[in-house]
Amino acid sequence: MLTDFNAELALQQQQGLYRRRRIVEAVSGVELIVDGKPCLNFCSNDYLGLSQHPQLKAALQHAVSQYPLGSGSAHLICGHSHAHHALEEELAAFTGREKAVLFSTGYMANVGVISALCERGDWVLQDRLNHASLLDGALLSKARLQRYRHRNMADLKAKLSKAPGDVLLVSDGVFSMDGDLAPLPEMVGLTNTRNSLLMIDDAHGMAVLGRTGAGVVEHFELAQQDVPILMGTLGKGFGCFGAFVAGSEALIELLIQKARSYIYTTALPPTVCEATRVSLRLVQGEIGADKRAILQQNIAYFKQSARQIGLSLMPSDTAIQPLLIGDSQQALAISQQLWARGLWVSAIRPPTVPKGQARLRITLSALHQTQHIDTLLDALAHCLQ
Ligand SMILES: *Cc1c(COP(=O)(O)O)cnc(C)c1O
């Protein structure tokens, strides 16, 4: 138990792991005022810039005139409004699944699904770089957690063959700290052949990947029977808040009965759900397609220009473009130098990433202009010399 709080904090500081929060005071596109100082944002997950879209803001304002601000209760008491229900139906149609259920956050969705479906004696197989919420879900379930090497299908296959009983195979669709994609077609093949279920967490693919923005499953053209459990978040590419799980009617009904992080918590504000419905329409329509195209142009421009100045990028084609530094203190120092030049790029350190793999995590958005990316690259060239 941590009883000497100050000693523990000092230890965090010594290890270069101390985390501090900066106060965002104003937002205009990617230009922010933070702690009183102007800077460019390169660390948001609002990949399409929808959180600032006038149609979403107008939808929220209109919703406030129709709905109470907060839901006032859990879904199974009196918190499940028409706004929630309509959004669930629209998310099911969007993802091509029979049914969807909303969770208050992605963290809670992951913990809720895994702990509802798995019990002692089951195995939960996870990519080593999966999001913390997926690991926590497995720990809470009391199932046996086994981790395979990142995207390594030979290692996954070996571990699958050793499992004595039922297996839940779980992976990020787009890896949150690396930006690469899980090899979903191979994973589908491996889970088709035995007593196992595949769950994909598409927090970073939703709204961003696929022709209509339906994420990594649309990118790989995978149906409900291929990926029976699909989790998506609404606070990143959709620019709103919350999360959902989509799948068969029976799966979703079971989660409503059994997922404790669904049952024992207040439902999302219905007002936010109304704004999210508009976001979902934009994502599927022309506005979404245009924003995805701009984002892709920004990613291509960043990668090409970074290579020209000799930066070694990780193998990512998504909006998440990490620069591996290694040492935590050094990653922090570079992030601080960038900050001094008005560029906000977060240093990601253990335990979020493995030891010795601290990095700068650059995220791009459709709101960045070429000049913003040039400013970042100039600063990186200077700071990484
Ligand atoms: C952000 C994230 C989550 C958590 O979603 P929240 O809605 O922010 O709680 C889950 N999984 C992955 C891969 C994420 O990146």
Side-chain angles (χ1 to χ4, degrees):
M1 184 170 157
L2 304 180
T3 50
D4 191 342
F5 304 154
N6 286 314
E8 189 61 33
L9 289 171
L11 192 65
Q12 291 285 115
Q13 220 140 14
Q14 273 164 29
Q15 294 169 338
L17 299 178
Y18 198 87
R19 292 150 191 255
R20 65 178 287 271
R21 301 173 300 172
R22 291 185 175 132
I23 299 174
V24 179
E25 286 151 13
V27 178
S28 169
V30 294
E31 296 173 8
L32 312 181
I33 305 290
V34 180
D35 289 344
K37 174 180 118 74
C39 73
L40 293 178
N41 190 356
F42 283 99
C43 45
S44 171
N45 299 318
D46 178 19
Y47 301 115
L48 303 183
L50 289 176
S51 72
Q52 299 180 55
H53 198 283
Q55 287 192 44
L56 266 64
K57 293 195 172 199
L60 184 67
Q61 268 163 351
H62 180 67
V64 167
S65 69
Q66 280 195 313
Y67 283 95
L69 177 59
S71 66
S73 168
H75 284 275
L76 295 177
I77 310 294
C78 63
H80 187 69
S81 71
H82 173 74
H84 296 99
H85 204 72
L87 177 57
E88 287 179 348
E89 285 177 347
E90 288 156 9
L91 286 166
F94 171 62
T95 54
R97 267 64 185 161
E98 286 169 23
K99 210 168 164 134
V101 61
L102 289 168
F103 280 80
S104 295
T105 69
Y107 187 101
M108 293 165 76
N110 284 340
V111 164
V113 170
I114 300 175
S115 63
L117 299 183
C118 299
E119 54 189 24
R120 206 181 293 279
D122 298 331
W123 276 29
V124 181
L125 272 176
Q126 300 209 21
D127 189 290
R128 190 166 281 288
L129 299 190
N130 273 359
H131 192 262
S133 55
L134 295 168
L135 303 176
D136 291 357
L139 294 176
L140 190 65
S141 77
K142 301 190 176 73
R144 172 131 174 228
L145 171 62
Q146 290 268 330
R147 300 209 274 172
Y148 57 91
R149 288 201 291 282
H150 180 49
R151 300 180 77 257
N152 187 321
M153 292 298 102
D155 192 28
L156 169 57
K157 215 170 165 174
K159 293 207 159 73
L160 260 176
S161 70
K162 285 190 195 130
D166 294 337
V167 178
L168 181 66
L169 172 57
V170 188
S171 178
D172 284 19
V174 177
F175 286 91
S176 55
M177 297 299 137
D178 291 61
D180 49 0
L181 304 189
L184 288 201
E186 286 96 320
M187 297 173 78
V188 170
L190 288 174
T191 45
N192 273 344
T193 57
R194 54 160 297 138
N195 225 2
S196 52
L197 269 176
L198 178 59
M199 170 177 180
I200 295 299
D201 168 345
D202 202 21
H204 297 276
M206 279 295 160
V208 180
L209 295 181
R211 194 180 54 80
T212 69
V216 73
V217 292
E218 184 178 35
H219 174 83
F220 286 116
E221 299 181 354
L222 297 170
Q224 178 177 295
Q225 69 262 31
D226 301 317
V227 178
I229 310 171
L230 177 63
M231 194 286 280
T233 60
L234 303 168
K236 291 173 177 163
F238 285 104
C240 296
F241 188 73
F244 66 95
V245 177
S248 70
E249 173 145 16
L251 168 76
I252 301 308
E253 281 301 325
L254 189 65
L255 293 177
I256 293 170
Q257 312 306 315
K258 297 235 173 200
R260 293 167 65 85
S261 61
Y262 178 79
I263 300 167
Y264 298 107
T265 201
T266 300
L268 287 168
T271 43
V272 171
C273 292
E274 282 295 283
T276 309
R277 294 178 67 196
V278 172
S279 179
L280 183 56
R281 274 206 288 285
L282 297 191
V283 161
Q284 291 174 274
E286 220 170 287
I287 289 175
D290 289 348
K291 293 200 178 292
R292 283 189 289 278
I294 296 169
L295 177 62
Q296 285 311 318
Q297 283 164 19
N298 283 346
I299 295 166
Y301 180 75
F302 172 80
K303 288 185 68 170
Q304 186 196 358
S305 314
R307 279 201 202 96
Q308 274 166 7
I309 60 167
L311 298 180
S312 59
L313 296 171
M314 289 172 65
S316 161
D317 294 320
T318 67
I320 302 165
Q321 290 291 327
L323 280 176
L324 192 63
I325 305 295
D327 179 65
S328 289
Q329 297 280 17
Q330 201 186 347
L332 193 61
I334 297 168
S335 166
Q336 278 162 352
Q337 284 170 38
L338 290 171
W339 174 250
R341 294 169 156 254
L343 292 158
W344 198 358
V345 176
S346 53
I348 308 287
R349 293 156 283 166
T352 309
V353 292
K355 277 213 177 91
Q357 292 188 25
R359 65 196 62 184
L360 299 173
R361 179 178 182 268
I362 297 159
T363 58
L364 297 168
S365 108
L367 294 177
H368 286 116
Q369 292 164 9
T370 309
Q371 83 205 43
H372 297 134
I373 299 174
D374 287 337
T375 306
L376 172 68
L377 288 160
D378 284 348
L380 284 170
H382 183 87
C383 298
L384 289 167
Q385 269 168 13

